Amino acid sequence: MSDPTTDDGEPRFRRRSKTWEGGAVKWLFLACALVSILTTVGILVSLVINAWGFFTEIPIWDYLFGTRWSPILKPRDYGVLPLVSGTLLVTLIGALVAVPIGLASAIFLSEYAPDRLRRIIKPVLEILGGIPTVVYGYFALTWVTPQIQKILPDLLVFNALSAGLVLGLMIIPMVSSLSEDAMLAVPRSLKQAAYALGATRLEVSISIVVPAALSGVIAACIIGISRAIGETMLVTIAAGATPKLTLNPLESIQTMTAYIVQLSLGETPHGSLEFNTIFAVGLLLFFMTLVMNVGGHYVVRRWGLRYE
Amino acid sequence: MTETREGLDAPTVPKLFVNEHTASDESNTVIDVNKLDVHYGTFCAVRGVSMKIKENRVTAFIGPSGCGKSTVLRCFNRMNDLIPGARVTGEINFFGQDLYAAEVDPTEMRSRVGMVFQKPNPFPKSIYDNVAFGLKVNGYTGNYPDAVERSLKRAALWGEVKDRLKENALQLSGGQQQRLCIARALAPEPEVLLMDEPASALDPISTLAIEQLINDLCKDVSIIIVTHNMQQAARVSHETAFFMVNDDRAGYLVEFDDTSKIFTNPNDERTEAYITGRFS
Amino acid sequence: MRSPSSFNHHLGRRKILGSIALVMFMSSVVVGILGLVVLLAQILFQGLEWLSPELIFNFPSRHPEQAGLKAAIFGTVWLMGLTAAFTVPVGVGAAIYLEEYASENWLTRLIEVNIANLAGVPSIVYGLLGLALFVQWLSMGRSVLAGALTMSLLVLPIVILASREAIKAVPETYRQAAFALGATKWEVVRSVVLPSASPGVLTGIILAMSRAIGETAPVIAISALVYLTFIPQNPLDRFTVLPIQIFNWIARPQEDFRGLAAGGIIVLLIILLSMNALAVFLRNRYQKQSVE
Ligand SMILES: Nc1ncnc2c1ncn2[C@@H]1O[C@H](COP(=O)(O)OP(=O)(O)OP(=O)(O)O)[C@@H](O)[C@H]1O
Ligand SMILES: [Mg+2]
């Protein structure tokens, strides 16, 4: 390297062409990374612009607080609350199933299960989380509903209850694996200290591990619930298509997502008021899940304890 | 045991480190170890350890890294039960009762043998809740605030934290955290306190405070301390056990005697080599 | 010495409590596993008799015994091919940028936060984005191209996150060795980082694709529910995919179509399972390699 030129005076190492290449490559990769930003911008812009067409005709107040949703059949009404209540009802049932079961499974897997058992159970739960949601819809409609009908003969074929129960089953893996990660991150030294004081395994789990992992556990629940809010095919198939402002789980309802699918199925003319309703509903849905996700990340950042 | 000691917060220096009682004969045996073997899976970590730990004494475990000091220590409160694959054979008698007998409940037994770990590990809870934890799980029937105060005083921490008991324990300094862990371990009123290199993560001043504490505590608790610091062993302990590791990596007890004897006139030349730093 | 009266260990009570809790924890796990078993059993029970060559090789039909998945299978293949073609370069490129080029600044943080949030956006919302952006504004119509672009945006966060993990796992010493030989940054990335990260990247891509295969909602928003008796010939043709065809059959009232749907689900699950098995296989081989 001591002699940078060859005998005829030409530079021996010529890399100049490579410099612009390196620069161009970097910008190309940056462009790839920016696609994700553009996606977010695109989601916002496309939702807002099309929803704008809707809100110029229907006052936003009537939309947000109206209690009847009937955008196609006369008399027309554009109050979104029935769809919101449908979404929240199904989500609530799902959360009532998934949160306790998911957390209990996480505690079992992180504190009780021997390694070998955990290595068997975790992939099974992963499979559960990887099954397409139409399949869950099929299951809710053709198995869960008939089973419940044996106990409650009046139950409708499409109902919030079975959709919610299966939704819960669907998000168990998410709640359980995210909270298990949080619990596994609790330093072993804390557990040892608790055991050394004469605590039982249950006491160590409940009074040391869960509190120390609380931020991660809460985030897991929030993210799971946000997933439930956005879940589409399962509720489209099993929960019904009748927007109804009710909290009765035995009724047939319609969720926000199911409405979007229902309208997409028909070939509604683009740009019409009916067509734009799906963007108004989508915008609200987007904000609901955004608030939950940002909330989840905030919980971790704000209350997440850092251990070395 | 009910008397409380205040004014220990500021370390009052060296004279403490002269052991007041050196006579060993009239003491009771707290832990009697007989032919202890410990295996992790198929690996034999400790082989053939026999020793008698005396009441209200400080016993130091010294020896090269990996010779099984922590392993033996963990047998005394059955923390090895929590390690999958760990197997303890031989006999350990605690006040004459076999620790590993089928009817002994490790949970209850651990409340009678406290443990302090190498790195301070306070729970991410308030200072008060840290100390109260051991009281709660063991169903303490007395007055909680009094018991917490008593433990903190015994650990010479009360003066520094009495106005901030509700604060998170992680805000304390490393040395304070370790004394909090000692207070926490003392709260269930254990008869024996196991300390695994309790000062190795601390600064010299905090180390001094801990040593002083040990010297004081041994009036009513029997203490076993693992340390890599020869001077520390010499300063705080009445008796010293020297462990070594043989060629197949199994640890064994070389010599167990009065600290003064071990450090001035050991029986075994390997002990002497280790003490004087000529150990490979 | 301790006064024996000041502690009441309630050992019996605590042990019983512990056993009750353990039973509850275990039954929770069992509920999840049992749910999976019952689900699979129901589908096999309903669908096995409908598994036939017709199911694979026929176009959809009004008569359940003649109806098949041909259009949906080809549509899925088209959609996956195009989606992979868009997602892989962009996703891996973004991951390379974030791991190898990005400096710690507001833009990088924005991109990272943004990717994390995108992963939580409901898939139907992506469908609305695709409907507005690709179908309407870019006039692609309800085409497989529009569907694939939408699906790419949906699975991009998965590919980026997995690729970043794989790139992160490449030992720093490899890079230093290459730099010491006078390689430029791009040469290091191309000839050192990417090859050793490729099994991990590939695993991420397979997982993203298996997510995409099962996604229904966004594709419905793009393609609507069409009754197709042809195979897409070019990217601007209309299309349908497996889960939509299954959904279509579920939604019909006749019992026979339900069975057909279950048969279709079996086909879908077999495809998904083999993709996951491939990913697991790659992951294991990769882990073994990195140990050696
Ligand atoms: N949980 C475990 N599983 C398997 N082997 C272990 C485990 N803990 C310790 N060992 C092994 O047992 C032997 C003794 O370990 P131990 O921790 O008791 O040594 P030590 O004397 O305390 O060492 P140090 O002074 O470094 O703390 C070592 O060879 C160690 O590798
Ligand atoms: Mg040790």
Side-chain angles (χ1 to χ4, degrees):
Chain A
M1 276 274 198
S2 59
D3 176 18
T5 55
T6 50
D7 295 342
D8 47 346
E10 278 286 304
R12 192 162 155 196
F13 300 105
R14 274 218 294 178
R15 308 290 306 234
R16 214 168 334 120
S17 61
K18 299 280 172 91
T19 7
W20 75 261
E21 189 188 287
V25 161
K26 178 180 173 172
W27 287 106
L28 202 66
F29 289 149
L30 175 60
C32 294
L34 289 179
V35 169
S36 75
I37 304 260
L38 289 180
T39 307
T40 306
V41 174
I43 288 174
L44 271 174
V45 168
S46 60
L47 290 179
V48 167
I49 287 187
N50 285 289
W52 192 259
F54 173 79
F55 288 125
T56 50
E57 295 185 49
I58 309 297
I60 193 164
W61 189 264
D62 292 358
Y63 169 70
L64 284 179
F65 297 102
T67 55
R68 190 167 171 275
W69 180 259
S70 176
I72 298 161
L73 297 177
K74 287 179 191 164
R76 296 184 192 208
D77 264 310
Y78 300 92
V80 78
L81 280 184
L83 295 183
V84 174
S85 80
T87 294
L88 293 185
L89 175 59
V90 174
T91 303
L92 182 71
I93 299 170
L96 287 178
V97 173
V99 168
I101 293 184
L103 293 190
S105 310
I107 293 176
F108 179 76
L109 288 176
S110 80
E111 301 307 312
Y112 287 81
D115 250 11
R116 220 185 299 150
L117 187 60
R118 180 164 51 214
R119 271 203 292 272
I120 299 170
I121 294 177
K122 281 208 72 151
V124 173
L125 289 180
E126 268 174 41
I127 293 178
L128 204 55
I131 291 178
T133 58
V134 255
V135 182
Y136 282 103
Y138 178 87
F139 180 56
L141 185 66
T142 65
W143 193 80
V144 177
T145 298
Q147 298 308 312
I148 302 178
Q149 276 170 334
K150 285 181 188 160
I151 308 165
L152 303 167
D154 301 336
L155 189 72
L156 299 169
V157 173
F158 301 103
N159 63 83
L161 183 59
S162 22
L165 291 177
V166 177
L167 185 59
L169 177 67
M170 194 179 103
I171 55 178
I172 287 173
M174 190 170 223
V175 174
S176 129
S177 93
L178 288 177
S179 3
E180 191 203 337
D181 290 348
M183 291 178 193
L184 286 175
V186 173
R188 225 177 38 163
S189 65
L190 290 189
K191 300 180 203 170
Q192 282 181 337
Y195 281 119
L197 288 167
T200 62
R201 200 171 277 267
L202 175 65
E203 287 157 352
V204 174
S205 308
I206 298 296
S207 28
I208 301 300
V209 176
V210 172
L214 196 61
S215 66
V217 168
I218 291 176
C221 296
I222 293 180
I223 291 172
I225 290 172
S226 146
R227 168 92 186 277
I229 291 179
E231 170 41 36
T232 308
M233 293 321 291
L234 163 57
V235 286
T236 305
I237 292 170
T242 40
K244 212 176 288 167
L245 188 59
T246 176
L247 287 178
N248 180 358
L250 304 182
E251 297 221 35
S252 164
I253 49 106
Q254 187 167 43
T255 66
M256 303 165 76
T257 51
Y259 171 73
I260 298 176
V261 169
Q262 186 199 10
L263 202 105
S264 307
L265 290 177
E267 308 248 337
T268 316
H270 291 181
S272 63
L273 183 62
E274 293 102 84
F275 184 73
N276 285 338
T277 54
I278 61 176
F279 290 93
V281 173
L283 190 62
L284 186 57
L285 180 68
F286 177 70
F287 275 117
M288 284 167 68
T289 53
L290 187 70
V291 167
M292 308 251 358
N293 286 326
V294 171
H297 290 295
Y298 177 78
V299 167
V300 173
R301 271 230 312 281
R302 172 72 176 72
W303 284 293
L305 290 164
R306 301 266 170 279
Y307 305 101
E308 307 113 55
Chain B
M1 160 50 236
T2 40
E3 112 242 50
T4 52
R5 282 176 297 278
E6 288 194 54
L8 276 175
D9 312 8
T12 53
V13 207
K15 95 169 223 328
L16 269 166
F17 303 134
V18 181
N19 291 323
E20 291 139 31
H21 31 199
T22 31
S24 60
D25 12 41
E26 85 282 13
S27 250
N28 289 332
T29 299
V30 182
I31 297 176
D32 187 348
V33 186
N34 199 2
K35 300 211 186 79
L36 174 74
D37 286 2
V38 184
H39 292 258
Y40 291 113
T42 53
F43 164 61
C44 180
V46 170
R47 184 172 295 150
V49 171
S50 300
M51 58 182 6
K52 286 180 169 42
I53 309 277
K54 303 235 169 57
E55 188 169 11
N56 295 355
R57 291 297 159 85
V58 179
T59 306
F61 285 5
I62 60 171
S65 185
C67 66
K69 306 180 294 294
S70 304
T71 300
V72 172
L73 201 67
R74 280 200 298 266
C75 292
F76 296 166
N77 64 346
R78 294 190 53 174
M79 287 295 275
N80 282 329
D81 291 17
L82 302 170
I83 300 173
R87 198 156 38 85
V88 178
T89 45
E91 214 180 316
I92 303 178
N93 286 309
F94 181 70
F95 285 114
Q97 191 187 15
D98 183 5
L99 263 191
Y100 283 80
E103 71 274 11
V104 170
D105 185 276
T107 307
E108 187 204 1
M109 181 238 113
R110 284 188 197 125
S111 76
R112 303 179 59 184
V113 182
M115 186 162 198
V116 177
F117 299 81
Q118 179 170 3
K119 262 188 16 198
N121 54 356
F123 301 134
K125 300 171 183 271
S126 71
I127 294 169
Y128 180 93
D129 287 342
N130 262 278
V131 182
F133 183 87
L135 298 171
K136 255 179 235 156
V137 295
N138 293 303
Y140 183 59
T141 50
N143 178 310
Y144 275 63
D146 286 353
V148 169
E149 177 177 341
R150 198 162 57 236
S151 303
L152 284 167
K153 279 181 175 158
R154 289 178 77 192
L157 189 61
W158 176 249
E160 288 153 77
V161 302
K162 62 170 183 272
D163 301 321
R164 42 196 289 215
L165 291 175
K166 294 287 163 216
E167 273 177 40
N168 193 308
L170 295 171
Q171 288 169 358
L172 296 173
S173 75
Q176 290 174 326
Q177 285 187 9
Q178 193 62 310
R179 274 177 289 151
L180 176 64
C181 292
I182 294 175
R184 183 177 66 185
L186 290 173
E189 296 171 23
E191 287 123 303
V192 178
L193 189 60
L194 311 174
M195 304 177 110
D196 195 347
E197 305 184 41
S200 68
L202 303 182
D203 63 288
I205 304 279
S206 303
T207 304
L208 203 69
I210 301 269
E211 290 182 8
Q212 192 173 351
L213 199 53
I214 292 170
N215 210 295
D216 245 46
L217 285 172
C218 74
K219 292 194 183 91
D220 33 45
V221 203
S222 316
I223 294 175
I224 307 173
I225 175 172
V226 173
T227 177
H228 277 285
N229 182 331
M230 288 315 132
Q231 285 79 26
Q232 186 171 66
R235 281 195 301 258
V236 301
S237 71
H238 306 104
E239 289 184 283
T240 298
F242 171 57
F243 291 85
M244 249 182 63
V245 57
N246 63 18
D247 297 337
D248 58 350
R249 286 176 58 230
Y252 61 99
L253 179 63
V254 176
E255 192 170 355
F256 180 45
D257 213 329
D258 279 359
T259 299
S260 51
K261 178 112 185 340
I262 294 271
F263 278 90
T264 53
N265 184 20
N267 282 334
D268 196 295
E269 59 196 35
R270 291 167 296 183
T271 315
E272 187 175 2
Y274 186 73
I275 302 289
T276 52
R278 280 185 287 116
F279 187 78
S280 55
Chain C
M1 267 208 55
R2 70 201 264 166
S3 36
S5 62
S6 56
F7 289 92
N8 187 350
H9 290 279
H10 298 296
L11 268 184
R13 203 178 71 194
R14 289 161 71 200
K15 263 193 191 148
I16 292 173
L17 220 66
S19 321
I20 294 175
L22 176 59
V23 169
M24 276 168 47
F25 295 156
M26 262 162 64
S27 28
S28 298
V29 177
V30 170
V31 166
I33 294 174
L34 211 64
L36 180 67
V37 170
V38 174
L39 183 147
L40 292 179
Q42 163 77 357
I43 282 159
L44 288 178
F45 184 67
Q46 302 276 315
L48 267 185
E49 57 177 312
W50 288 92
L51 275 188
S52 64
E54 289 87 56
L55 181 66
I56 312 273
F57 297 112
N58 280 17
F59 281 114
S61 155
R62 253 182 296 283
H63 308 287
E65 55 293 345
Q66 286 164 23
L69 291 165
K70 184 169 182 183
I73 290 176
F74 277 92
T76 294
V77 170
W78 263 97
L79 187 72
M80 287 307 112
L82 288 176
T83 301
F86 298 134
T87 313
V88 172
V90 176
V92 177
I96 292 174
Y97 177 78
L98 289 171
E99 285 302 318
E100 301 287 328
Y101 288 90
S103 44
E104 188 51 48
N105 59 25
W106 65 270
L107 181 64
T108 311
R109 270 196 303 280
L110 180 69
I111 294 174
E112 289 181 336
V113 170
N114 184 57
I115 291 172
N117 275 320
L118 277 180
V121 172
S123 58
I124 186 72
V125 171
Y126 282 94
L128 294 178
L129 163 70
L131 183 59
L133 179 62
F134 302 125
V135 176
Q136 289 183 270
W137 297 339
L138 297 178
S139 313
M140 294 176 189
R142 296 178 176 281
S143 63
V144 65
L145 178 65
L149 286 169
T150 308
M151 198 58 94
S152 304
L153 297 184
L154 174 63
V155 297
L156 206 53
I158 303 176
V159 175
I160 296 178
L161 291 176
S163 307
R164 285 189 72 175
E165 290 307 314
I167 293 173
K168 235 183 241 153
V170 176
E172 196 54 39
T173 49
Y174 289 17
R175 295 184 184 84
Q176 284 160 1
F179 277 127
L181 292 172
T184 64
K185 181 116 197 169
W186 164 233
E187 285 162 345
V188 172
V189 167
R190 192 188 51 196
S191 51
V192 176
V193 175
L194 276 185
S196 34
S198 59
V201 173
L202 201 58
T203 313
I205 292 169
I206 294 174
L207 290 179
M209 288 302 131
S210 66
R211 163 89 190 274
I213 283 189
E215 274 296 342
T216 323
V219 193
I220 287 188
I222 303 289
S223 87
L225 195 56
V226 289
Y227 182 76
L228 289 184
T229 49
F230 64 87
I231 293 165
Q233 298 300 315
N234 70 59
L236 289 175
D237 275 346
R238 296 205 64 170
F239 70 109
T240 187
V241 291
L242 279 172
I244 292 191
Q245 187 61 62
I246 292 166
F247 169 59
N248 181 330
W249 286 338
I250 295 175
R252 303 210 184 176
Q254 299 97 315
E255 198 56 38
D256 279 354
F257 275 111
R258 295 267 166 91
L260 202 57
I265 288 174
I266 295 177
V267 174
L268 182 62
L269 289 183
I270 289 175
I271 297 177
L272 279 176
L273 272 183
S274 17
M275 289 179 73
N276 277 311
L278 187 63
V280 169
F281 171 75
L282 280 172
R283 188 162 61 191
N284 287 349
R285 220 178 79 165
Y286 173 52
Q287 275 168 354
K288 237 176 256 149
Q289 265 175 5
S290 59
V291 167
E292 278 158 18

